[in-house]
Structure formats: C-alpha cells, structure tokens
C-alpha cells in the first residue's frame, strides 16, 4: 500500500489524466466526424480517440506508471505525425504545451522529466523548421479554421483545469500537513505533561512506602509502632491508587480530546442520577466519618455534556469534600438551571482554605498538598484535571472557601443543543 503522500499525488494525477483523456477523446471523434471530407484527417482523429480511450482505461484501473509514460509518448508521436501530415494550420502542435506541463508536474523521475521535456522542445523546433521548407502531405479539411480555433482554445482550457486542480490539491496538502503538525505538537505536549505528572506525583508515595517498609523490617519495633507504620503504608498505597486513577482517567480524556474534532462526546445526562451513583461510590468513606451526602439536585435535571468527563469531575470534588470534612458534617450537592447555563456545586463544612492556598491550587508548579481531617494524603491533581475537563465543555470551574468554615466548588456548563 502506498503511503498517504504518494497516494494523494497519484490520485490527483489520475483525476487530471482521466478528465483530459475523456475530453480529448470526445473532441477527437467530433473532429473526425466534421472533418470527414479529408479521410486522412478523419482517420488520424479516430486514432487519437483510440489513444485517449486506452489512456482512460488505464486511468480507470489506476495504472499510474503506465499512464505516466504512455500518454505523453503516444500523444507526442501523434502530434508529430499530424503536424507533418497536415501542417500547423490545424493547431495540433499546441497540445505539446499540455504534454510539457504534465511532465513537469506529475513525473517523479527528474532525469526522465528533463529528457522528455527536452525531446518535446526539440520536436516542436523540428516541426516548425519542417513547415518552412515542406508542404503538408495531405489536404486539410474544409473546417480547418474552426479546428485551429478549437485546438488553440482546448490547451488553454486544459492548462487552466490543471492549474485549478493542482492549486486545490496544494491547499489540501497544506491543510493535511498543518493537521499532522498540530497532532504531533499535541502528542509531544501530552507526553511531556504525562512525564511531569508521573515524575512529580507517582514518585512521592512510592518513596514513602519504601521508607515505611524499611522501618518495618526492623525487628526491634513494638507492636504499636508496627500498627502505626502499617496504617501509614495503607495511606501511601491509597494515595498511589488515587493518583494513578486520576492520571489514567485524565490521560484517556485528554488523548481523546487531542485526537478528535470535538473534545467531548456530548449526550443527555441526568445530573441527579449521576450524583446518586457517586454517593454510592463514596458511601463507605462517608460512613467512616459519619458524613451525610445530601443530593439537593432536582430529579431529571439534565444537561448535554460528556458523561465520563463530568462524572470524573464530580467524583474528584466529592473525594475532596469527604477528605477535608470533619466527622458528623454534611456535604451538599446542588444545581441551578438557568436559561443559557447550568451551575453545579459541592459544598462542605470542613477545614476550608486560605487565600494563598486558593491562588496556587491550579498551578502545576506551585500547588501544595494538604492532609485530610483523618490524615488522608492527596496529590492535588484532581482539581487541576477537573478544570481542564470543564474547559473542554467551554465551561468554568471556581472555588469559594473560608478557612475553618468549609469550601464550595462550583462549575458552570453552557447549554448545548
């Protein structure tokens, strides 16, 4: 199978040659009919029609190399015969221009291209010199002046057609190149971001776990110390799993967004049902702290959005709310449905954040991690990824928080048709 570039060039060549062959073959047969008062002329035009018919068959079967050599060679021979037999008063020599242009544009071999073009130029000179000293071998048809005008106009039309096709193909090629360049840049950016995230956030919990295991290998530890280290190891493993889940989910969504025309797969989703499923997912974590997860979203509150991305965002917001809430507190999910957008929020009564912490929250280079109320560890990646996924929907994510009083995380989504 040819590569895309070669296939694209061959397709353009076949398209142009098919059009030229069909048009030239039809005109040749029409000329043979109206020039039948000169039998040699009619026969020569029928021969030309046969050449064009054979070329059209080769184009149909996409015999690119045969067409590339057969058509210029056979038409050049026919033009030489025609000019020697009937002189230049029919204008057949004008078709040499099309042969030259086709060779210059479509032939891949530079050596063959140069030799062929030189031969055609030499032929043109010889034909003109021959006309200076010799008369045509056969009589001209009565409609010779009309044929001259036709044979002058057709090469001009053919050249214009070739120019339009080549120009459009050049624009199409440029677009393909730009699309491939953009895809490559996105791929490099995606790779660099993945390496940064993995290097920064996956290494820390493994280093912690390694240190804990080394301490646990010490036989002089008491049972209480071993239990404490085991609990710390569990938290490091949980953090590793949470971080890996976030990275994989973000990577999947980002790769899809970067390699498709749309960054989302929109569908009608019921936010009330989405929150109910997420409540079940966090049921055990909430029970450990005796936290109430309250869904204040009206049933059948819907929005057109990407279900996977929105579910990822709400899961992360819920995980943070549970992590930073104290025992016996309530987390409230709510949504406000306006005419042009829907605003969703998760509100907790937990530890809250300072203004300094809020300012660095979405900065990959400055972000800091905070421990939860039960000393849970976090990577801080969830909010960063969530903001990106909301941006895919042309929405907005923001945080309102007061230190010691709790946090409300909101996002708004424009309504799509």
């Amino acid at each position: 199978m040819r590569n895309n570039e070669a296939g694209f060039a061959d397709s353009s060549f076949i398209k142009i040659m098919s059009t030229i062959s069909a048009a030239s073959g039809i005109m040749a047969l029409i000329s043979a009919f109206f020039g039948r008062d000169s039998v040699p002329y009619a026969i020569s035009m029928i021969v030309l029609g046969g050449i064009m018919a054979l070329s059209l068959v080769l184009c149909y079967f996409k015999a690119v190399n045969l067409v590339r050599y057969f058509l210029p060679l056979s038409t050049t021979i026919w033009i030489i015969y025609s000019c020697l037999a009937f002189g230049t008063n029919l204008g057949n020599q004008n078709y040499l221009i099309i042969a030259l242009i086709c060779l210059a544009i479509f032939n891949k071999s530079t050596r063959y291209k140069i030799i062929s073009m030189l031969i055609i130029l030499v032929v043109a000179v010889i034909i003109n010199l021959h006309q200076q000293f010799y008369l045509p071998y056969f009589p001209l048809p009565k409609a010779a002046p009309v044929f001259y005008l036709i044979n002058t106009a057709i090469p001009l039309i053919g050249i214009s057609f070739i120019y339009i096709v080549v120009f459009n193909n050049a624009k199409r090629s440029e677009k393909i190149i730009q699309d491939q360049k953009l895809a490559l840049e996105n791929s490099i950016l995606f790779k660099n971001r993945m390496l940064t995230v993995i290097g920064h956030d996956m290494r820390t919990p493994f280093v912690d776990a390694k240190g804990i295991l080394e301490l646990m290998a010490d036989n002089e530890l008491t049972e209480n110390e071993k239990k404490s280290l085991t609990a710390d190891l569990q938290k490091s493993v949980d953090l590793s799993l949470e971080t890996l889940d976030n990275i994989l989910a973000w990577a999947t969504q980002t790769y899809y967004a970067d390699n498709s025309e749309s960054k989302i797969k929109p569908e009608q989703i019921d936010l009330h049902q989405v929150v109910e499923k997420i409540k079940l997912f966090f049921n055990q974590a909430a029970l450990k702290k005796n936290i109430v997860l309250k869904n204040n979203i009206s049933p059948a509150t819907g929005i057109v959005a990407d279900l996977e991305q929105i579910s990822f965002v709400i899961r992360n917001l819920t995980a943070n709310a549970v992590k930073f809430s104290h025992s016996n507190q309530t987390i409230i999910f709510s949504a406000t449905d306006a005419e042009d957008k829907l605003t969703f929020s998760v509100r907790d009564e937990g530890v809250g954040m300072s203004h300094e912490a809020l300012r660095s929250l979405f900065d990959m280079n400055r972000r800091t991690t905070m421990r939860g109320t039960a000393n849970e560890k976090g990577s801080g990646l969830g909010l960063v990824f969530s903001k990106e996924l909301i941006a895919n929907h042309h929405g907005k994510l923001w945080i309102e928080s007061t230190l010691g009083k709790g946090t409300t995380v909101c996002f708004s989504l424009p309504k799509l048709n």
Side-chain angles (χ1 to χ4, degrees):
M1 183 180 289
R2 295 182 178 88
N3 57 39
N4 290 338
E5 183 180 355
F8 181 63
D10 289 346
S11 175
S12 301
F13 174 75
I14 289 294
K15 180 180 179 181
I16 291 176
M17 291 299 102
S18 296
T19 305
I20 290 176
S21 298
S24 299
I26 292 170
M27 289 303 301
L29 296 178
I30 293 173
S31 298
F33 177 79
F34 287 103
R36 63 186 183 278
D37 53 303
S38 172
V39 175
Y41 174 77
I43 293 173
S44 71
M45 297 310 294
I46 292 172
V47 170
L48 178 61
I51 292 172
M52 294 303 164
L54 181 56
S55 174
L56 199 59
V57 170
L58 294 175
C59 288
Y60 177 79
F61 288 105
K62 293 182 170 54
V64 177
N65 289 329
L66 284 175
V67 176
R68 186 172 279 122
Y69 292 103
F70 168 75
L71 193 58
L73 180 62
S74 59
T75 51
T76 299
I77 293 172
W78 180 87
I79 290 169
I80 293 172
Y81 162 77
S82 178
C83 291
L84 294 178
F86 305 102
T88 57
N89 292 327
L90 292 174
N92 291 334
Q93 68 277 7
N94 295 329
Y95 290 99
L96 288 172
I97 298 173
I98 293 182
L100 280 171
I101 291 175
C102 289
L103 284 168
I105 295 175
F106 295 111
N107 206 286
K108 295 182 179 180
S109 171
T110 303
R111 183 178 179 183
Y112 174 80
K113 184 187 298 184
I114 293 173
I115 293 173
S116 301
M117 291 172 66
L118 286 174
I119 290 173
I120 289 176
L121 290 172
V122 169
V123 166
V125 171
I126 291 174
I127 288 173
N128 283 321
L129 288 175
H130 181 272
Q131 303 304 317
Q132 302 293 325
F133 303 102
Y134 299 97
L135 293 173
Y137 298 140
F138 302 109
L140 297 174
K142 294 178 181 179
V146 176
F147 293 144
Y148 181 84
L149 291 175
I150 292 173
N151 293 331
T152 301
I154 287 178
L156 295 175
I157 295 171
I159 293 169
S160 300
F161 172 74
I162 292 172
Y163 171 79
I164 291 171
V165 172
V166 171
F167 178 76
N168 289 336
N169 288 341
K171 288 177 65 177
R172 181 181 169 191
S173 296
E174 183 179 359
K175 185 179 184 303
I176 291 173
I177 292 170
Q178 291 299 323
D179 290 344
Q180 291 174 341
K181 181 182 176 182
L182 181 60
L184 178 61
E185 289 174 349
N186 286 335
S187 177
I188 293 172
L189 180 61
F190 175 76
K191 180 201 71 175
N192 290 340
R193 292 176 70 193
M194 280 293 295
L195 291 175
T196 300
V197 168
I198 292 172
H200 183 277
D201 293 281
M202 288 300 293
R203 188 175 185 276
T204 301
F206 282 114
V207 170
D208 291 345
K210 182 175 181 292
I212 292 170
L213 289 171
E214 288 174 351
L215 287 173
M216 292 180 70
D218 188 351
N219 294 326
E220 296 180 2
L221 293 175
T222 65
E223 285 300 318
N224 287 336
E225 287 174 332
K226 287 182 178 179
K227 287 181 180 179
S228 177
L229 288 174
T230 302
D232 289 340
L233 181 60
Q234 179 66 48
K235 291 172 184 176
S236 292
V237 171
D238 289 342
L239 175 60
S240 299
L241 184 60
E242 177 191 337
T243 304
L244 182 60
D245 286 342
N246 279 337
I247 289 173
L248 290 175
W250 167 78
T252 301
Q253 297 299 331
T254 302
Y255 183 81
Y256 169 80
D258 288 342
N259 291 277
S260 62
E261 293 182 3
S262 173
K263 289 182 177 293
I264 63 173
K265 293 182 282 187
E267 59 181 291
Q268 184 71 35
I269 61 176
D270 185 333
L271 275 179
H272 179 85
Q273 289 298 322
V274 171
V275 170
E276 286 299 309
K277 291 179 181 178
I278 289 172
K279 280 176 59 181
L280 290 174
F281 183 82
F282 286 97
N283 186 52
Q284 289 300 317
L287 283 175
K288 287 180 181 179
K289 291 185 174 183
N290 198 29
I291 292 172
V292 176
L293 301 176
K294 189 176 182 181
N295 185 359
N296 280 352
I297 300 174
S298 300
T301 298
I303 186 75
V304 177
D306 188 304
L307 177 60
E308 293 298 324
Q309 294 188 22
I310 296 304
S311 297
F312 174 90
V313 172
I314 297 176
R315 280 198 304 272
N316 270 279
L317 302 187
T318 306
N320 286 338
V322 171
K323 186 182 299 178
F324 297 110
S325 290
H326 296 287
S327 297
N328 304 311
Q329 290 187 330
T330 302
I331 296 171
I332 300 174
F333 303 87
S334 59
T336 304
D337 195 354
E339 184 177 347
D340 60 339
K341 66 180 179 180
L342 183 141
T343 302
F344 177 92
S345 66
V346 179
R347 179 166 62 87
D348 66 60
E349 303 166 337
V351 298
M353 285 180 282
S354 65
H355 292 298
E356 291 75 17
L358 279 174
R359 280 197 293 268
S360 63
L361 203 57
F362 296 107
D363 190 334
M364 289 286 283
N365 298 317
R366 294 177 54 206
R367 63 191 171 85
T368 57
T369 58
M370 297 171 56
R371 290 182 179 267
T373 54
N375 205 31
E376 304 102 320
K377 293 181 179 180
S379 66
L381 284 173
L383 280 174
V384 177
F385 295 162
S386 295
K387 190 172 184 179
E388 286 189 18
L389 298 182
I390 294 299
N392 288 346
H393 292 75
H394 304 289
K396 179 183 177 183
L397 185 146
W398 69 96
I399 300 174
E400 300 166 358
S401 185
T402 303
L403 190 61
K405 293 186 177 181
T407 300
T408 302
V409 185
C410 309
F411 65 80
S412 61
L413 298 174
K415 290 191 174 178
L416 304 175
N417 294 325

